[in-house]
Amino acid sequence: MSFLHVLGFGLKVGHLLLMLCCWIISVIPTHWFINGGVMETKIGLLSDGGKIWVRLWEKMFGNSCKIPHHWYQKFWSKKVGKTWWRKLLFTWVLIWSMVSLWIFGYLSLQASEKRRETIGSMCDERARMLQDQFNVSMNHVQAISILISTFHHGKIPSAIDQETFARYTKRTAFERPLTSGVAYAVRVLHSEREPFEKQQGWTIKKMDTPEQTPVHKDNHAAENLEPSPVQEEYAPVIFAQDTVSHVISLDMLSGKEDRENVLRARESGKAVLTAPFRLFKTNSLGVILTFAVYKSDLPSNATPNERVQATHGYLGGVFHIESLVEKLLQQLASKQTILVNVYDATDPDHPISMYGSNVSDDGLQHVSTLNFGDPHRKHEMRCRFKQKAPWPWLAITTSSGILVIALLVGYIFHATMNRIAKVEEDYRDMMMLKKRAEAADIAKSQFLATVSHEIRTPMNGVLGMLHMLIDTELDVTQEDYVRTAQASGKALVSLINEVLDQAKIESGKLELEAVQFDLQDILDDVLSLFSGKSQEKGVELAVYVSDRVPKMLIGDPGRFRQIITNLMGNSIKFTEKGHIFVTIHLVEELMDSIEVETEPSPRSTLSGLPVAEGRRSWEGFRIFNQEGLTSPFSSSSSDLFHLIVSVEDTGVGIPEEAQSRVFTPFMQVGPSISRIHGGTGIGLSISKCLVNLMNGEIGFVSRPNVGSTFTFTAVFSGVSSKSNEYNKCQPTKIQSNAVSSEFKGMTALVVDPNPVRAKVSRYHIQRLGIHVEVVSDQNQGFSSLSSGNNTAINMVLVEQDIWDKDCNLSALFVNKLKKLDLKIPPKLFLLANSINSTRNNASVSGIYTPTVIMKPLRVSMLAASLQRALGVGNKEVSLNGGHPSLSLRNLLRGRKILVVDDNNVNLRVAAGALKKYGADVVCSDSGKSAIPMLKPPHDFDACFMDIQMPEMDGFEATRRIREMERNVNSRIQHGEVSMEAYGNISNWHLPILAMTADVIQATHEECLRCGMDGYVSKPFEAEQLYREVSRFFQLSPDQNQ
């Protein structure tokens, strides 16, 4: 393992510990705050941290290493206290201090080993290079010996003389850069000495001691030397390089050391080195390398004697060791890093220094062996760093870093424990505050439910009795008083509903229904609600629904009606002249063809007055930039319809400074608004929330003194073609179909110069199945009547303002109508906005008086007016809010209904309302007394059950009734009793509808859980009771007669 591995391991361990502590600090307190239920109150927050450590331990080491429960309780108990943690912290610091010291020692040792390996590698490299260069020069010297053997001894006469040898060695000196000179000494026996000297012309000279050897001196003279003494053989130098030409004639065997080298060289047949000596020119150390020159026919395995006998001579080369080493170090980039010494270690006790100095501050040394080819000579290279080893910074920083990390971890643990104690205390405070908040929320819900119930219950009696009173014979003043009381009561109920809705929104408990409803019927209901107010003000109120919008949708009709009612109610409050226009289109229509003009002209508005640019109210909606909105009612996007609804008015508008707080709850435009117009200021905020629940958006544009336009989108599901239950049980649907058949095939002529208003009139008249033609004035209308085409016009509808604008023209139009030669003359109708205008309108002709139809137009009112004027349809049918029709009476005729309520007033209201539709009503004042009456077999067709009653509430009574029905059904199915004994009914299930003044969602859910089939909210009206109970009955053929 290297120090890098140790470093990496230490850093990883430190990083892991640091991240673990950060996780403990950040995650554990967050987990405790979010999920407080995990922590047990008795064990405390510290124990919860222990549980997390235990789970982490088991996850890392498996189930085999699970911590026993009693150890866990002891280890993480609060009884441990601060003393235990201090001991643990001290132990932690001590252990990691020892670990840091070990890492420091280990890394320091690794650094020393690395330094030793470095100097060893560098020294071996230099020794190898020095040895290689020496061998190259030695090979060249040996090549010269072969040259002499070949061309001097191998040829007769010799091809080499002193001049040739000197010139050759000089020209090839570059191949031997490490040699100072080369010389050749021939072997001469004593018997050959005299002829040899005569041949050479000089006497063989003697070499004295090494200190006197001419090779070592520069001021010598060969003629001054003594002749070589008599001996068996001689080795005089006959050839020499010019640099050492002074050695010619010297006997190499006369010197002691040279003699030993020459004798060893010829016996061994290898190169032989001398001991180091100083060269005479450079005064630097050098050695002489000697080769023996043999006869060419010497065998390779010759003995030493055979080698001596075959010797011709001896070739020597002088090597400059210091120059050799200097050239070597200059080739290396790290020359200055280490010190190099070369020694002749033939005598280990007294090595001879051949190169280098002994100056060094570092005791670390490496010795590399040198092999120069002479086995009798030992050479070595010793290397040392020039400077001392640096401080082991890596070891210091790594160990210090790990120690610092360990200390930080210990500090973090210490801070964590303090934080845990603080968090535990904060947690207790938070839990206490949470319990208080939950208790306050429960108290608020209970208060709202109680207030709602206590107010709605007497209001049910008030409104119910007023509704029953208005059906009696009253004079005009009495009827006005009753209707005023009714309006005040409904306003109070509306205020209660708004406050409850706001409370639901704040608590996030407001939910939407998903039921089938008729969009046009809802709009007609809203128009009926505001028709009286609009007629009093003379404000034109109209609704237009595009032909592409489906008539039947699935959604929450009550909440949709609430949005429309809020927006139209605000428009009615702040509009004194002009119009209020509600339009409904598909979003795709606006995407395909936007028909809104940038600058609306008077002819493009309903009343001819300028309006705020409606496009600006919806141009920022997301739906116009992206697709794919989802609906809570359906998962199939192909069955979704994206509606866009606009409510346009010509009222006072909203000041720019107040537009930013329009959707803020309980905020109004100014302090005088609530005093002048009333209201709580929460209608728009509730509408915005409802629109969001319908996956839509809402916006507005307003211009002061011009008007406002509110626009919102909503997503509804389409109605499947297989769904017919709704059509079977909705009386309005039946009536609409019946009325449409009465007017089928008729044609109406509408006289109106305003294209927008004419378009609205056409829409409502066509809903009755009547074909509509539109003209802009009376002259065009008369031309159309007298054109003689095949289409017979049955009725003429003229706008009131056109009729009153030119009385003479109107009189002329009536005269022309009377002169028409028609079997059945068309009926004349005036479309009026204001009640006052109809009272002041004088008949143009006493004989031909037009019938006035009051706006806003809606199908029920329009059908009733046309029926009375044309004399078609059932005269008893009243679709304008009067007495119930005969078909509706027949639907409940003979039906026996039980009403259970402890409040006598509510009993009378419910009984009177149901009897109004022909039902046979039986009353009961408690749930306990109703149970025996509903025990099978019985003859009741339905039951209205109050929820809050003494002794036994409606929930418990319903459960017991359902239990009795299940027991009877089970006995009938198992054959224990006969079906005839129970009225030939095999499956008993009485429709039970709750009557509740509690509109909390939880109450509605409880109604369904206990087995009820539906509910009506108090205060209820006769139509509401009828609508709920009629879902369970169908009109039989005999009842329709």
Side-chain angles (χ1 to χ4, degrees):
M1 179 187 293
S2 65
F3 71 94
L4 292 177
H5 295 109
V6 176
L7 175 62
F9 176 75
L11 293 178
K12 288 181 180 179
V13 171
H15 180 72
L16 178 62
L17 293 174
L18 184 60
M19 294 300 295
L20 182 62
C21 292
C22 293
W23 176 81
I24 292 174
I25 289 179
S26 62
V27 176
I28 294 179
T30 304
H31 174 73
W32 288 327
F33 275 116
I34 295 176
N35 189 8
V38 176
M39 181 176 61
E40 298 178 3
T41 306
K42 295 183 179 180
I43 298 177
L45 194 58
L46 188 61
S47 299
D48 191 36
K51 291 180 181 179
I52 295 177
W53 279 104
V54 170
R55 288 196 296 269
L56 180 62
W57 175 274
E58 294 175 356
K59 185 175 181 180
M60 293 173 60
F61 300 101
N63 296 331
S64 59
C65 298
K66 284 188 176 180
I67 301 177
H69 181 71
H70 65 280
W71 288 4
Y72 156 74
Q73 291 289 348
K74 181 177 181 181
F75 188 77
W76 293 107
S77 175
K78 291 176 64 178
K79 298 179 180 179
V80 174
K82 295 183 178 180
T83 304
W84 189 89
W85 280 108
R86 289 176 180 175
K87 292 180 179 179
L88 178 62
L89 182 62
F90 176 78
T91 305
W92 172 270
V93 174
L94 180 62
I95 291 175
W96 280 101
S97 299
M98 297 175 64
V99 171
S100 299
L101 291 176
W102 177 84
I103 292 176
F104 173 78
Y106 180 82
L107 293 180
S108 299
L109 181 61
Q110 290 291 321
S112 300
E113 291 294 333
K114 183 64 176 179
R115 185 176 176 84
R116 185 174 289 104
E117 291 177 1
T118 301
I119 194 172
S121 175
M122 297 172 67
C123 194
D124 291 340
E125 181 184 12
R126 285 157 176 74
R128 177 182 54 78
M129 295 180 65
L130 177 61
Q131 184 173 300
D132 292 342
Q133 293 189 12
F134 185 85
N135 290 337
V136 171
S137 298
M138 185 177 64
N139 291 336
H140 284 288
V141 174
Q142 188 177 11
I144 295 176
S145 68
I146 297 174
L147 179 68
I148 292 174
S149 175
T150 303
F151 293 98
H152 177 65
H153 296 286
K155 291 186 178 294
I156 300 175
S158 173
I160 300 176
D161 56 12
Q162 168 58 30
E163 183 180 357
T164 303
F165 184 84
R167 188 169 60 253
Y168 173 77
T169 54
K170 180 179 180 181
R171 296 178 66 180
T172 59
F174 71 90
E175 297 180 349
R176 304 177 304 280
L178 304 180
T179 60
S180 299
V182 181
Y184 175 68
V186 67
R187 182 187 181 196
V188 178
L189 298 177
H190 180 67
S191 58
E192 300 173 350
R193 176 176 180 176
E194 186 174 353
F196 174 80
E197 291 177 344
K198 289 181 179 181
Q199 180 182 359
Q200 298 293 331
W202 41 259
T203 304
I204 300 175
K205 299 300 188 293
K206 174 186 175 183
M207 294 180 62
D208 290 335
T209 60
E211 291 79 4
Q212 299 173 342
T213 300
V215 175
H216 307 159
K217 302 293 184 179
D218 194 22
N219 56 352
H220 75 283
E223 60 272 10
N224 295 332
L225 297 178
E226 298 178 358
S228 178
V230 177
Q231 50 190 2
E232 292 183 1
E233 59 180 288
Y234 307 93
V237 178
I238 60 173
F239 302 138
Q241 191 175 347
D242 290 342
T243 56
V244 290
S245 60
H246 57 275
V247 299
I248 296 176
S249 75
L250 294 181
D251 183 10
M252 294 295 105
L253 295 179
S254 60
K256 180 180 178 181
E257 187 171 349
D258 292 335
R259 180 181 179 83
E260 292 178 357
N261 290 341
V262 169
L263 294 179
R264 285 194 297 111
R266 72 181 184 180
E267 290 178 358
S268 63
K270 298 180 179 181
V272 176
L273 289 174
T274 64
F277 62 88
R278 294 202 173 271
L279 301 178
F280 67 89
K281 286 186 177 182
T282 61
N283 197 30
S284 58
L285 293 177
V287 293
I288 298 177
L289 178 68
T290 305
F291 281 98
V293 179
Y294 299 102
K295 298 177 181 179
S296 60
D297 56 354
L298 181 67
S300 59
N301 57 351
T303 62
N305 290 332
E306 291 176 347
R307 292 181 181 277
V308 172
Q309 296 301 324
T311 301
H312 278 310
Y314 316 97
L315 181 66
V318 181
F319 282 84
H320 191 181
I321 297 299
E322 292 185 359
S323 176
L324 175 64
V325 179
E326 284 293 338
K327 291 181 179 180
L328 169 66
L329 297 179
Q330 288 177 0
Q331 298 177 8
L332 301 175
S334 57
K335 170 186 176 183
Q336 305 298 329
T337 305
I338 63 175
L339 296 175
V340 177
N341 294 82
V342 179
Y343 288 90
D344 185 337
T346 304
D347 185 0
D349 297 332
H350 301 88
I352 301 173
S353 176
M354 301 174 65
Y355 175 81
S357 63
N358 295 325
V359 179
S360 176
D361 295 334
D362 190 8
L364 183 62
Q365 178 178 270
H366 180 78
V367 178
S368 298
T369 303
L370 298 173
N371 183 10
F372 291 151
D374 188 353
H376 293 278
R377 286 285 177 183
K378 306 296 182 184
H379 299 84
E380 60 185 28
M381 179 181 288
R382 300 178 183 179
C383 303
R384 291 172 293 175
F385 285 105
K386 285 187 177 182
Q387 298 178 353
K388 289 184 178 181
W391 287 91
W393 292 113
L394 180 62
I396 294 174
T397 54
T398 302
S399 59
S400 301
I402 293 177
L403 181 59
V404 169
I405 291 175
L407 293 176
L408 287 176
V409 171
Y411 175 77
I412 291 173
F413 270 102
H414 178 69
T416 301
M417 297 310 302
N418 293 335
R419 180 176 175 82
I420 287 175
K422 180 67 170 59
V423 169
E424 184 179 17
E425 182 179 356
D426 294 342
Y427 175 79
R428 294 194 189 97
D429 296 340
M430 183 191 68
M431 292 302 296
M432 186 177 298
L433 294 176
K434 179 184 176 183
K435 292 180 180 178
R436 291 178 182 175
E438 290 175 348
D441 186 59
I442 294 174
K444 176 182 177 181
S445 299
Q446 292 177 347
F447 172 77
L448 290 175
T450 303
V451 169
S452 172
H453 184 272
E454 296 302 325
I455 295 178
R456 286 172 179 270
T457 298
M459 284 304 301
N460 181 58
V462 172
L463 294 179
M465 289 300 177
L466 289 174
H467 189 79
M468 296 173 65
L469 179 61
I470 205 171
D471 291 337
T472 62
E473 294 293 335
L474 300 175
D475 58 26
V476 177
T477 304
Q478 292 172 336
E479 183 177 353
D480 181 65
Y481 291 162
V482 173
R483 292 191 181 277
T484 303
Q486 268 189 326
S488 300
K490 290 180 179 179
L492 178 58
V493 173
S494 176
L495 176 61
I496 296 173
N497 291 336
E498 288 183 349
V499 174
L500 291 176
D501 285 342
Q502 185 64 29
K504 290 180 182 179
I505 292 173
E506 293 177 354
S507 61
K509 297 179 180 180
L510 188 63
E511 299 178 358
L512 297 183
E513 294 181 328
V515 297
Q516 188 172 321
F517 67 95
D518 189 320
L519 178 64
Q520 295 176 343
D521 287 348
I522 289 179
L523 296 175
D524 286 346
D525 292 343
V526 178
L527 287 177
S528 300
L529 181 64
F530 296 107
S531 60
K533 193 70 173 178
S534 65
Q535 292 168 3
E536 291 177 4
K537 288 187 171 184
V539 176
E540 184 157 1
L541 183 62
V543 168
Y544 175 77
V545 181
S546 171
D547 295 337
R548 295 177 58 180
V549 176
K551 179 177 176 60
M552 306 303 297
L553 295 170
I554 294 179
D556 193 327
R559 296 302 181 183
F560 184 74
R561 181 189 293 109
Q562 183 176 357
I563 299 174
I564 299 293
T565 303
N566 285 338
L567 297 180
M568 291 185 66
N570 289 338
S571 296
I572 286 290
K573 286 181 185 179
F574 301 103
T575 303
E576 300 298 332
K577 63 178 181 178
H579 68 268
I580 299 172
F581 189 24
V582 180
T583 60
I584 301 181
H585 295 82
L586 292 180
V587 171
E588 290 78 3
E589 293 184 68
L590 297 185
M591 288 182 176
D592 296 340
S593 176
I594 300 178
E595 300 179 355
V596 180
E597 298 181 6
T598 305
E599 293 293 338
S601 63
R603 287 183 57 84
S604 65
T605 64
L606 185 65
S607 62
L609 296 179
V611 296
E613 185 181 352
R615 180 174 180 175
R616 292 174 53 194
S617 65
W618 51 260
E619 61 184 0
F621 287 177
R622 294 188 305 271
I623 193 171
F624 291 98
N625 301 320
Q626 61 183 7
E627 292 295 333
L629 295 179
T630 59
S631 171
F633 311 132
S634 175
S635 61
S636 176
S637 59
S638 61
D639 295 334
L640 299 182
F641 293 94
H642 298 257
L643 304 186
I644 181 167
V645 183
S646 294
V647 179
E648 174 187 281
D649 66 58
T650 56
V652 296
I654 304 174
E656 294 184 359
E657 64 273 9
Q659 292 183 7
S660 60
R661 59 177 187 268
V662 164
F663 296 107
T664 304
F666 303 104
M667 295 294 292
Q668 298 209 6
V669 174
S672 62
I673 294 297
S674 59
R675 294 196 298 268
I676 298 175
H677 300 283
T680 59
I682 60 176
L684 288 178
S685 65
I686 295 174
S687 299
K688 183 177 182 180
C689 177
L690 295 176
V691 169
N692 292 334
L693 291 176
M694 294 178 182
N695 291 326
E697 299 173 87
I698 188 171
F700 74 96
V701 60
S702 181
R703 292 172 56 188
N705 301 321
V706 174
S708 304
T709 300
F710 281 80
T711 304
F712 71 93
T713 60
V715 182
F716 297 101
S717 297
V719 177
S720 174
S721 59
K722 299 180 181 180
S723 178
N724 296 321
E725 291 80 357
Y726 184 85
N727 297 336
K728 294 179 181 179
C729 64
Q730 288 296 323
T732 307
K733 177 78 175 179
I734 299 172
Q735 298 163 10
S736 178
N737 293 337
V739 170
S740 298
S741 62
E742 296 172 357
F743 299 102
K744 187 175 182 180
M746 292 187 178
T747 302
L749 179 65
V750 175
V751 181
D752 193 345
N754 189 322
V756 177
R757 189 168 55 188
K759 182 179 180 180
V760 174
S761 301
R762 178 199 295 268
Y763 157 71
H764 287 286
I765 298 172
Q766 285 181 341
R767 291 175 62 187
L768 297 176
I770 301 174
H771 176 70
V772 180
E773 295 181 6
V774 179
V775 295
S776 60
D777 54 34
Q778 289 107 319
N779 292 329
Q780 293 182 7
F782 185 77
S783 299
S784 178
L785 289 171
S786 60
S787 60
N789 53 14
N790 296 328
T791 303
I793 297 178
N794 306 97
M795 62 196 79
V796 178
L797 296 94
V798 184
E799 280 292 332
Q800 178 75 49
D801 56 351
I802 300 300
W803 187 262
D804 296 338
K805 185 177 181 181
D806 191 344
C807 296
N808 295 328
L809 182 61
S810 300
L812 180 62
F813 182 76
V814 171
N815 292 330
K816 289 182 179 180
L817 285 179
K818 289 189 289 184
K819 295 178 180 180
L820 287 175
D821 187 13
L822 296 176
K823 184 180 298 184
I824 301 177
K827 293 292 183 180
L828 181 61
F829 298 91
L830 295 183
L831 302 178
N833 291 324
S834 174
I835 298 176
N836 297 329
S837 64
T838 61
R839 292 174 180 174
N840 297 331
N841 180 42
S843 174
V844 178
S845 174
I847 302 173
Y848 208 96
T849 304
T851 302
V852 178
I853 299 178
M854 294 301 303
K855 294 183 180 180
L857 297 179
R858 50 200 184 278
V859 68
S860 59
M861 177 275 302
L862 185 60
S865 299
L866 295 180
Q867 285 174 343
R868 287 193 296 266
L870 298 176
V872 298
N874 192 344
K875 302 298 187 297
E876 295 183 3
V877 176
S878 176
L879 297 176
N880 201 20
H883 295 286
S885 66
L886 181 60
S887 62
L888 300 186
R889 288 180 177 272
N890 292 339
L891 183 62
L892 295 183
R893 187 179 61 189
R895 303 289 186 179
K896 191 173 183 180
I897 299 176
L898 176 64
V899 179
V900 184
D901 198 320
D902 62 322
N903 189 298
N904 187 43
V905 176
N906 289 337
L907 283 177
R908 294 176 60 186
V909 170
L914 293 173
K915 289 179 180 179
K916 180 180 178 180
Y917 291 100
D920 182 11
V921 181
V922 178
C923 298
S924 176
D925 60 356
S926 69
K928 190 174 182 180
S929 62
I931 294 177
M933 301 172 66
L934 296 178
K935 182 179 180 180
H938 58 76
D939 54 354
F940 289 100
D941 297 291
C943 173
F944 282 93
M945 179 79 68
D946 188 25
I947 291 179
Q948 295 186 3
M949 294 182 292
E951 295 187 65
M952 181 182 296
D953 60 18
F955 295 142
E956 182 62 26
T958 303
R959 292 189 188 96
R960 296 193 181 185
I961 294 171
R962 296 304 184 206
E963 183 65 25
M964 290 190 305
E965 292 176 345
R966 282 193 294 269
N967 292 335
V968 171
N969 294 337
S970 176
R971 295 176 62 187
I972 293 175
Q973 292 175 2
H974 291 85
E976 298 179 7
V977 294
S978 63
M979 192 167 59
E980 291 76 8
Y982 287 89
N984 292 322
I985 299 176
S986 60
N987 185 22
W988 281 88
H989 182 87
L990 178 71
I992 300 178
L993 301 172
M995 293 190 303
T996 172
D998 187 359
V999 294
I1000 304 299
Q1001 183 67 25
T1003 304
H1004 299 165
E1005 295 173 356
E1006 182 63 25
C1007 292
L1008 300 178
R1009 279 196 298 267
C1010 71
M1012 293 184 176
D1013 299 283
Y1015 60 88
V1016 291
S1017 299
K1018 298 177 183 178
F1020 49 76
E1021 296 181 356
E1023 291 81 0
Q1024 184 181 7
L1025 292 178
Y1026 166 76
R1027 185 168 55 249
E1028 289 298 325
V1029 74
S1030 63
R1031 293 191 297 115
F1032 304 97
F1033 305 134
Q1034 295 184 6
L1035 189 63
S1036 60
D1038 58 341
Q1039 288 177 318
N1040 202 21
Q1041 296 176 356

